[in-house]
Amino acid sequence: MATANTFHHPTLGSIKGILRDGLLRFTNIPYATIPHRFARSSLLQQLPRTASTSVGNGLHDAYDATGIPPASIQPFDAPANEVKGCQIPPEILDGFHEEQSEDCLRLSITVPAHARPGNDLPVLVFVHGGAFFLGSTTRPYYDPSTLCRQALEQAEGCVFVGVNYRLGALGFAHLPGAHSVPENNGLYDQRIAFEWVRRFIAGFGGDAGEITALGQSAGGMSLTAHDYSGLENVWRRRVVFSGSLVTMPVKDGKEKEAEFWSLAEKTGVMGVGVGREEAVEKLKEVDVGRIRDAAGVGLLCVESEMLPYSDASMKRMSTPAAWSNVGDSAGLESQIVSSTTYDGGISYNLMIENKDRKGHAKAFFDIANSSGLSHPQELLDLYNITTTDDDPVALRKICQFETDIGFFAASLAQVSGFPGKSYLLLFDLGSPFEGFLPAGECATHTWDIIAMLGSCEKWLEDEYRTAITDLRDRVLRFSVKGEEPWPAWTEDEGKAMVVGKEGLSVVGFDEYMGAETRRGKMLKLAEKEAGDDGRDLLWSEVCRRFLMAEK
């Protein structure tokens, strides 16, 4: 049974949360303000007083943090489409409703019911995914209650923080030379959120010196961007689920400028005689619904303070050498890097319903043969792609290639190139729910983080629940206690943890990327094609061209 409960923070004052099953949840805490559209956000150091609550012998103004916070501006049907794409039960959204607002910079914080200021509990901070234009940390499938209760069973528990940040054009539009439209606002929002946690989490019972960052998909890409930027971060450990700097394309300043003017045209602010500054001011004031309808903006900008690299250097992120200085520059000491065995399922689910995309086998065949590969037929044979494959069959095979080159190879680069301790996780527990892909067959993108957080626990059979509970235990021991979750990855043995229906097992190189495995043959082909640059050649010149429908 849930009840309202008022918590007194020594700096922020009284805050109303919801007490349920040994956990106190604050779901709507603002952490920053935005002076105007497209501006950098600023740290919020006080909470607004929204209600009067009797505490002790006096009357105090308490901030009500019990409601569902607004999400960043995005398509209205995003939650339902995410559930469909993640292949989880649609019933998880029953009774859920979420507003949208430009004023969306909110945190959700979950603490043990016994938490008090100064308890020094470990802190987990979660950055959600959604391709930088979808998502919200308080959607039911990201509910961390099961994980937090398991942390309580292990020891004193933890403090779990979920971060909302600006998405789409509001978070990632950029016009070079225009001070009022800086680049990568969504990433800077995240930095402000972590700074807020560093300053105020002790008042919730958390230890600001023991922060582990968790990110999935675009959230994982965000963490890798922060760690690769050279800027100091507040976390020393991180867990990255299927997210790296090759997960999505990046754009340079010229491309972001073209994108900005396209946005101006789509929203109707451009016209005869409208100059640069006038267009900027009009776009800052146009009804936000037009920006939502325009869509299409949500990619990181390089050659910036956050990512001072060229697009060409970013394409080498699946090369282990690219990660050799990350620990020194960002302060990162250890990491778990994970990918699912069918991360390409997210592309499959998106494209299988796309009536504008047909003839997948022929399209991929043409791209492979025009990509500059010396051995295109070897790639086609490895994934058994033939021009006679019908669309669902061809797409299933192509998305397996996407999984291997765009997710697994990138994860491998992050663990093999990183100078600190790395732990490789291969999530091979197929989603048990019906969807576009057969139930139980495919460990799809996002199912791993949803499973670990535990929002779907009540629908799982015992074999699933046992494997996931064991995984959750390992990740918590790493995040909460700083313990080794399984043997660290080394060049000599390449140990990895595999999660499947049979449970958890530690395996070596030969079992997941040996010479006779599909992954091993794909990596060997990449090396034969272009040496150290071969992985990026297969990713950018073959796989990404197909996914982006490029000729």
Side-chain angles (χ1 to χ4, degrees):
M1 181 176 178
T3 60
N5 185 279
T6 299
F7 181 91
H8 185 74
H9 189 285
T11 305
L12 301 173
S14 298
I15 308 173
K16 186 187 294 185
I18 295 294
L19 184 64
R20 178 188 287 127
D21 297 335
L23 300 173
L24 182 58
R25 295 198 69 195
F26 310 97
T27 51
N28 187 0
I29 295 181
Y31 67 87
T33 59
I34 306 168
H36 60 79
R37 186 179 292 169
F38 303 127
R40 288 276 192 257
S41 56
S42 299
L43 185 74
L44 188 63
Q45 303 196 51
Q46 294 181 344
L47 296 178
R49 301 295 94 197
T50 58
S52 292
T53 304
S54 179
V55 179
N57 296 321
L59 192 66
H60 299 263
D61 288 335
Y63 175 76
D64 187 348
T66 62
I68 297 174
S72 180
I73 302 301
Q74 58 192 284
F76 285 121
D77 58 359
N81 283 336
E82 283 191 309
V83 164
K84 184 187 292 185
C86 297
Q87 201 157 315
I88 58 175
E91 294 86 355
I92 201 167
L93 292 176
D94 286 352
F96 175 75
H97 176 71
E98 167 186 77
E99 301 291 340
Q100 295 185 12
S101 172
E102 294 188 66
D103 180 22
C104 63
L105 302 186
R106 311 296 172 91
L107 303 174
S108 63
I109 302 178
T110 303
V111 303
H114 62 72
R116 297 294 182 269
N119 280 170
D120 290 337
L121 297 171
V123 181
L124 281 67
V125 181
F126 172 58
V127 182
H128 69 78
F132 295 116
F133 78 98
L134 302 171
S136 170
T137 191
T138 46
R139 289 187 179 155
Y141 34 92
Y142 293 140
D143 184 345
S145 298
T146 300
L147 178 141
C148 291
R149 282 193 293 270
Q150 191 164 327
L152 269 174
E153 293 169 3
Q154 283 188 356
E156 291 298 306
C158 65
V159 174
F160 187 96
V161 181
V163 178
N164 275 0
Y165 53 99
R166 281 176 287 179
L167 304 169
L170 299 178
F172 296 96
H174 173 45
L175 182 60
H179 177 72
S180 59
V181 195
E183 78 286 352
N184 296 329
N185 273 323
L187 290 183
Y188 281 92
D189 292 342
Q190 295 168 14
R191 291 194 67 84
I192 293 291
F194 276 100
E195 174 60 19
W196 191 99
V197 170
R198 187 186 69 81
R199 292 195 187 193
F200 298 112
I201 207 65
F204 292 93
D207 183 351
E210 284 293 330
I211 296 175
T212 298
L214 282 68
Q216 191 275 333
S217 194
M221 185 174 182
S222 296
L223 295 184
T224 56
H226 292 302
D227 285 326
Y228 201 66
S229 69
L231 301 176
E232 182 71 15
N233 296 319
V234 302
W235 59 88
R236 294 297 172 264
R237 294 185 293 272
R238 70 173 187 170
V239 185
V240 178
F241 294 89
S242 303
S244 75
L245 283 174
V246 301
T247 303
M248 296 177 62
V250 295
K251 293 191 174 185
D252 60 23
K254 290 183 179 179
E255 291 171 316
K256 294 301 285 189
E257 180 165 6
E259 181 184 75
F260 184 88
W261 293 122
S262 175
L263 176 66
E265 290 180 4
K266 289 179 180 178
T267 53
V269 306
M270 293 298 292
V272 177
V274 175
R276 177 186 176 94
E277 294 304 320
E278 185 180 358
V280 170
E281 292 305 312
K282 283 188 172 185
L283 194 53
K284 285 162 60 176
E285 299 298 329
V286 73
D287 183 273
V288 75
R290 294 190 189 180
I291 294 178
R292 178 190 292 109
D293 294 340
V297 178
L299 298 177
L300 304 187
C301 180
V302 294
E303 300 175 350
S304 68
E305 180 189 27
M306 175 63 72
L307 288 170
Y309 305 96
S310 68
D311 181 38
S313 64
M314 296 293 280
K315 286 180 179 178
R316 292 179 55 82
M317 290 306 295
S318 58
T319 302
W323 289 95
S324 60
N325 68 340
V326 168
D328 293 336
S329 61
L332 182 65
E333 296 173 355
S334 57
Q335 60 177 355
I336 294 175
V337 179
S338 172
S339 62
T340 75
T341 50
Y342 201 62
D343 272 304
I346 194 72
S347 296
Y348 182 94
N349 287 339
L350 288 171
M351 294 174 66
I352 199 68
E353 284 193 314
N354 187 344
K355 296 179 181 179
D356 295 328
R357 296 288 300 272
K358 297 180 180 179
H360 297 311
K362 177 65 164 54
F364 190 84
F365 181 89
D366 290 344
I367 287 172
N369 282 282
S370 64
S371 62
L373 294 181
S374 301
H375 311 86
Q377 192 59 46
E378 284 191 35
L379 176 63
L380 296 167
D381 290 344
L382 178 57
Y383 289 89
N384 193 28
I385 300 168
T386 69
T387 54
T388 59
D389 289 335
D390 63 25
D391 278 350
V393 170
L395 192 58
R396 179 89 177 257
K397 296 173 181 178
I398 294 165
C399 289
Q400 184 63 69
F401 171 55
E402 178 197 3
T403 299
D404 294 345
I405 190 62
F407 291 93
F408 168 75
S411 295
L412 184 64
Q414 290 187 71
V415 298
S416 59
F418 177 63
K421 278 198 170 183
S422 289
Y423 305 93
L424 180 61
L425 174 63
L426 303 176
F427 191 87
D428 192 28
L429 190 64
S431 171
F433 309 113
E434 292 291 343
F436 293 121
L437 292 161
E441 282 192 16
C442 299
T444 56
H445 193 71
T446 308
W447 163 233
D448 52 352
I449 185 66
I450 290 173
M452 198 195 73
L453 292 177
S455 62
C456 292
E457 203 88 345
K458 65 182 179 182
W459 290 297
L460 297 180
E461 296 179 358
D462 287 345
E463 62 178 348
Y464 276 85
R465 191 177 294 110
T466 298
I468 293 168
T469 299
D470 195 359
L471 171 63
R472 197 180 294 130
D473 178 77
R474 304 294 187 102
V475 174
L476 281 170
R477 290 186 182 279
F478 171 81
S479 304
V480 172
K481 297 183 177 181
E483 296 180 1
E484 184 167 85
W486 51 83
W489 195 95
T490 64
E491 289 188 9
D492 293 333
E493 297 181 304
K495 296 292 188 183
M497 175 64 77
V498 176
V499 184
K501 288 183 181 179
E502 299 77 19
L504 276 61
S505 59
V506 176
V507 301
F509 275 130
D510 289 344
E511 292 176 73
Y512 67 90
M513 53 173 289
E516 298 306 312
T517 67
R518 185 192 65 246
R519 293 191 188 108
K521 292 177 181 177
M522 182 273 296
L523 293 174
K524 191 67 177 178
L525 174 60
E527 183 181 354
K528 183 165 66 173
E529 285 289 348
D532 289 343
D533 294 330
R535 301 179 193 180
D536 295 300
L537 176 66
L538 291 182
W539 172 239
S540 61
E541 295 303 318
V542 182
C543 190
R544 183 171 284 171
R545 281 176 58 195
F546 172 81
L547 296 174
M548 304 297 289
E550 296 176 359
K551 301 297 184 182

